[in-house]
Amino acid sequence: MKTEKTLSIVSLVASVCAICLCLISLFAGNRKCDEKKVENVLDTVPALSESAVPRLAYINSDTLMARYDMVAKMSAEMETKMNSLQRDFDKRKNQFQKDVEYFQTQVELGSLSEQSSQEIYQKLMERQQELYDLQEKYANQVAELEQKNIQTVYDKVTNYLSRINENNKYYDFIFINTGIINVNNAYDITEAVAAGLNEEYNAQK
């Protein structure tokens, strides 16, 4: 038993030494034997056939949005809507501020009875709350319109890509630029997609 255990330990030590010698030889520059082993291992790795190589495409979303005519139209409409809401809110706010200043002047001049002052003050507080509510309402309208536009663009783009690449006819994967860097221009189909989207959009006007 002791002899067998000793032999096992000796074999283990010999194996470790052999591995260490190979590593030392590899990092010292004498790699002929080890390179041959590496080549033998690589020979066992199956090569990908040409048909198995993924066909990739890349879309730069910023460029696509800048080129897409529908996005430009939506942006213009959004700006018009926001300006209209802002003008309306500013008009109401300015009138409210004038009424507050007038009320303060009348109070300072003593031209209002205490009862009248209380009634006007209460009405002003109600109008102030109405302004807060209106501001929130307009902000929600803008947010809802923005979300609707985003969803519309997303649906248009994904639908278009699905149709031109039906059953993975051209590409196995189509990536949008989020989190992707150093893209080979050969895979960039942004301009072609923008042109196709614009052709369909302008044809539907």
Side-chain angles (χ1 to χ4, degrees):
M1 291 290 292
K2 185 175 181 181
T3 302
E4 291 178 1
K5 185 176 181 180
T6 302
L7 287 174
S8 298
I9 294 174
V10 170
S11 298
L12 178 61
V13 171
S15 298
V16 172
C17 289
I19 293 171
C20 290
L21 287 173
C22 286
L23 290 173
I24 292 171
S25 175
L26 177 65
F27 288 103
N30 183 18
R31 298 179 287 187
K32 292 182 179 179
C33 177
D34 299 279
E35 287 176 349
K36 186 65 177 176
K37 291 180 181 178
V38 172
E39 289 174 1
N40 291 338
V41 172
L42 291 176
D43 288 340
T44 65
V45 178
L48 288 173
S49 65
E50 185 175 347
S51 61
V53 177
R55 298 162 302 167
L56 309 178
Y58 162 79
I59 296 174
N60 185 308
S61 61
D62 293 336
T63 302
L64 181 62
M65 294 304 99
R67 299 283 192 276
Y68 195 3
D69 292 343
M70 186 176 75
V71 172
K73 183 173 183 293
M74 285 180 169
S75 297
E77 291 175 346
M78 172 71 83
E79 185 175 359
T80 299
K81 178 70 172 179
M82 290 175 63
N83 289 339
S84 176
L85 294 177
Q86 187 65 52
R87 284 194 301 270
D88 181 67
F89 179 78
D90 288 344
K91 179 181 178 181
R92 294 170 184 267
K93 184 184 68 174
N94 291 337
Q95 185 59 55
F96 172 73
Q97 290 175 339
K98 289 179 180 179
D99 291 345
V100 169
E101 292 172 0
Y102 178 77
F103 171 68
Q104 291 174 336
T105 301
Q106 295 302 307
V107 170
E108 291 171 359
L109 293 174
S111 56
L112 295 173
S113 66
E114 183 175 350
Q115 182 178 354
S116 295
S117 297
Q118 290 295 330
E119 290 175 354
I120 295 174
Y121 176 79
Q122 185 61 38
K123 290 180 180 179
L124 288 173
M125 290 302 96
E126 290 173 359
R127 286 176 59 190
Q128 183 180 48
Q129 184 59 49
E130 289 173 358
L131 280 174
Y132 290 145
D133 293 342
L134 184 65
Q135 186 177 37
E136 183 177 1
K137 176 184 175 182
Y138 284 173
N140 289 336
Q141 286 182 11
V142 170
E144 288 172 5
L145 180 58
E146 184 177 23
Q147 186 58 44
K148 179 182 176 182
N149 288 346
I150 291 172
Q151 188 63 48
T152 298
V153 172
Y154 175 81
D155 291 343
K156 289 287 185 181
V157 172
T158 54
N159 179 269
Y160 177 78
L161 292 175
S162 296
R163 284 186 286 108
I164 67 170
N165 196 45
E166 188 174 5
N167 298 321
N168 297 327
K169 183 177 180 181
Y170 300 109
Y171 308 107
D172 296 311
F173 301 98
I174 299 177
F175 297 97
I176 295 182
N177 64 325
T178 305
I180 302 175
I181 59 175
N182 298 327
V183 177
N184 187 325
N185 290 334
Y187 300 111
D188 193 337
I189 61 171
T190 307
E191 295 293 345
V193 171
L197 287 167
N198 285 334
E199 183 178 356
E200 289 192 351
Y201 171 69
N202 292 317
Q204 295 170 359
K205 284 184 176 180

